Amino acid sequence: MIKFGINKQFRDQNFLFGVGYIRGAAFDDFPIHTHGFTELVIIMKGRGSHWVEGSTYQIVPGDVFVFKGEQAHGFKGIRGAHMVNLSFVPSSFPPVPEEFKTLPGYNALFTLEPVYRRQRHFQSRLSLSRGQLTFVENLVMRMESEQSACPPGWREMLKALFLELIIYLSRCYEGIQGGEELRMLELGGILSFMEGHYAERLNLPKLAKRANMSVNNFLRVFKKASGFTPMEYLLRLRIGGACTRLLASPQRIADVALATGFNDSNYFSRQFRLVTGLSPREFRRSPKAQEIKAGLFLGKLSSRKA
């Protein structure tokens, strides 16, 4: 299996973002591969088959997929395809504003679907209309032009255009009316609520009630969709909030703990080490702090307490 690394994918190692717009692609088999970065793929024209982690699915114009890191995938029987491929390293580019994580559509597309799609056989995915594709194509062509010509301020313009695209796709997802995508959107709304209220006293019954589910059903659906139990996810949100505070200010560890939902600073420090591998003080001094923060939701927890 081929693995595409960061060094070969990005021409500027200080700006880990790339715009690829493949026009009129035709190939019988694009080999199965993984990569050390995230891909946002949008099918503009054409049809074919997409192999993802052991299963094959048909792709059509308007399909939007997000692939994170080590997810193996490839293409077969592609004819006349126009495909947008935006590659980026979340820990380096762009720094997605925390407010984005309060958007149900963002959580559905970028957080839940990459985990959920294999379990649901691609029944859940964002599919854009012709008008929506036209808007997206105009954005991508502007991004392509900035990357090619490199005028003054091109990096900042690329960041701005990409963030606009993320918001637009999130809004498109929120316009979905039914099907498996609606379930993703509903769960995305729960993630948004947790993102905005993680420092409060949240528990399974309260979250299940908000989702209009029984506790057992909510626990099952949440774990299947996100890869985490609700309490595991909540703990990582709190640790993520603590990471932000530790890097942004000289606040005392005890104050950071209280501000992010921990009443006991010693318990906070133990949980912080279990999740990140470092104490809060070590994290503050670590040159890999941003990378650690970006990877909070990529692995499993050692502890399930929150």
Side-chain angles (χ1 to χ4, degrees), residues 56-74:
T56 302
Y57 313 95
Q58 295 301 305
I59 57 173
V60 298
D63 283 349
V64 181
F65 311 115
V66 176
F67 294 96
K68 295 186 176 181
E70 299 302 322
Q71 289 181 304
H73 66 113

Side-chain angles (χ1 to χ4, degrees), residues 163-179:
L163 293 179
E164 181 179 354
L165 177 62
I166 289 177
I167 292 177
Y168 183 74
L169 293 177
S170 299
R171 289 176 175 175
C172 289
Y173 210 116
E174 291 179 24
I176 291 172
Q177 298 299 315

Side-chain angles (χ1 to χ4, degrees), residues 138-241:
N138 288 334
L139 270 181
V140 171
M141 290 176 66
R142 290 174 63 192
M143 295 166 71
E144 196 178 34
S145 175
E146 291 289 331
Q147 179 177 263
S148 176
C150 298
W154 67 275
R155 292 182 180 86
E156 296 307 313
M157 180 62 80
L158 267 180
K159 291 180 183 179
L161 291 170
F162 185 58
L163 293 179
E164 181 179 354
L165 177 62
I166 289 177
I167 292 177
Y168 183 74
L169 293 177
S170 299
R171 289 176 175 175
C172 289
Y173 210 116
E174 291 179 24
I176 291 172
Q177 298 299 315
E180 287 292 327
E181 296 87 355
L182 183 58
R183 170 58 63 87
M184 287 294 94
L185 186 59
E186 291 171 345
L187 288 173
I190 295 298
L191 297 192
S192 297
F193 174 78
M194 294 172 70
E195 184 76 37
H197 300 270
Y198 65 79
E200 300 174 12
R201 288 183 176 274
L202 299 181
N203 53 41
L204 267 177
K206 184 174 183 177
L207 293 171
K209 182 178 180 180
R210 189 172 186 87
N212 294 316
M213 298 181 191
S214 68
V215 170
N216 288 338
N217 190 40
F218 175 66
L219 183 61
R220 178 183 60 81
V221 170
F222 192 101
K223 177 68 179 291
K224 182 179 289 187
S226 70
F228 297 94
T229 69
M231 293 298 100
E232 287 174 345
Y233 196 89
L234 177 60
L235 176 57
R236 297 223 163 193
L237 285 177
R238 288 173 172 171
I239 296 299

Side-chain angles (χ1 to χ4, degrees), residues 3-291:
K3 179 170 182 177
F4 295 103
I6 292 175
N7 292 338
K8 292 185 178 181
Q9 183 71 15
F10 305 104
R11 64 182 184 183
D12 184 347
Q13 295 301 299
N14 295 316
F15 189 70
L16 302 181
F17 180 80
V19 182
Y21 192 171
I22 305 169
R23 296 171 172 86
F27 42 81
D28 290 325
D29 187 9
F30 189 89
I32 297 168
H33 62 280
T34 61
H35 33 74
F37 46 87
T38 296
E39 284 184 326
L40 172 59
V41 179
I42 306 170
I43 309 300
M44 306 300 294
K45 294 181 181 179
R47 296 173 182 269
S49 298
H50 194 185
W51 187 97
V52 184
E53 296 183 321
S55 299
T56 302
Y57 313 95
Q58 295 301 305
I59 57 173
V60 298
D63 283 349
V64 181
F65 311 115
V66 176
F67 294 96
K68 295 186 176 181
E70 299 302 322
Q71 289 181 304
H73 66 113
F75 295 94
K76 294 182 179 181
I78 300 296
R79 291 291 179 271
H82 289 207
M83 302 168 59
V84 171
N85 187 312
L86 304 178
S87 307
F88 58 99
V89 177
S91 61
S92 301
F93 175 93
V96 175
E98 292 298 315
E99 291 82 358
F100 280 38
K101 298 175 184 178
T102 65
L103 301 174
Y106 173 87
N107 285 319
L109 180 60
F110 288 90
T111 302
L112 295 174
E113 279 209 358
V115 177
Y116 202 59
R117 68 167 60 97
R118 179 172 59 178
Q119 300 164 355
R120 299 302 298 167
H121 307 293
F122 254 40
Q123 293 179 41
S124 171
R125 52 180 156 176
L126 174 61
S127 184
L128 302 176
S129 68
R130 183 175 298 179
Q132 290 168 338
L133 275 177
T134 298
F135 183 90
V136 167
E137 184 173 35
N138 288 334
L139 270 181
V140 171
M141 290 176 66
R142 290 174 63 192
M143 295 166 71
E144 196 178 34
S145 175
E146 291 289 331
Q147 179 177 263
S148 176
C150 298
W154 67 275
R155 292 182 180 86
E156 296 307 313
M157 180 62 80
L158 267 180
K159 291 180 183 179
L161 291 170
F162 185 58
L163 293 179
E164 181 179 354
L165 177 62
I166 289 177
I167 292 177
Y168 183 74
L169 293 177
S170 299
R171 289 176 175 175
C172 289
Y173 210 116
E174 291 179 24
I176 291 172
Q177 298 299 315
E180 287 292 327
E181 296 87 355
L182 183 58
R183 170 58 63 87
M184 287 294 94
L185 186 59
E186 291 171 345
L187 288 173
I190 295 298
L191 297 192
S192 297
F193 174 78
M194 294 172 70
E195 184 76 37
H197 300 270
Y198 65 79
E200 300 174 12
R201 288 183 176 274
L202 299 181
N203 53 41
L204 267 177
K206 184 174 183 177
L207 293 171
K209 182 178 180 180
R210 189 172 186 87
N212 294 316
M213 298 181 191
S214 68
V215 170
N216 288 338
N217 190 40
F218 175 66
L219 183 61
R220 178 183 60 81
V221 170
F222 192 101
K223 177 68 179 291
K224 182 179 289 187
S226 70
F228 297 94
T229 69
M231 293 298 100
E232 287 174 345
Y233 196 89
L234 177 60
L235 176 57
R236 297 223 163 193
L237 285 177
R238 288 173 172 171
I239 296 299
C243 288
T244 298
R245 288 176 177 271
L246 287 168
L247 295 176
S249 74
Q251 271 188 303
R252 296 187 310 140
I253 302 299
D255 292 335
V256 171
L258 285 173
T260 52
F262 296 92
N263 294 324
D264 183 328
S265 61
N266 291 324
Y267 175 72
F268 162 68
S269 294
R270 291 196 302 272
Q271 295 302 305
F272 194 96
R273 183 181 288 279
L274 281 171
V275 172
T276 68
L278 301 173
S279 71
R281 287 185 175 82
E282 290 169 340
F283 174 83
R284 218 170 211 163
R285 298 191 299 266
S286 174
K288 294 186 176 181
Q290 290 291 353
E291 180 180 342

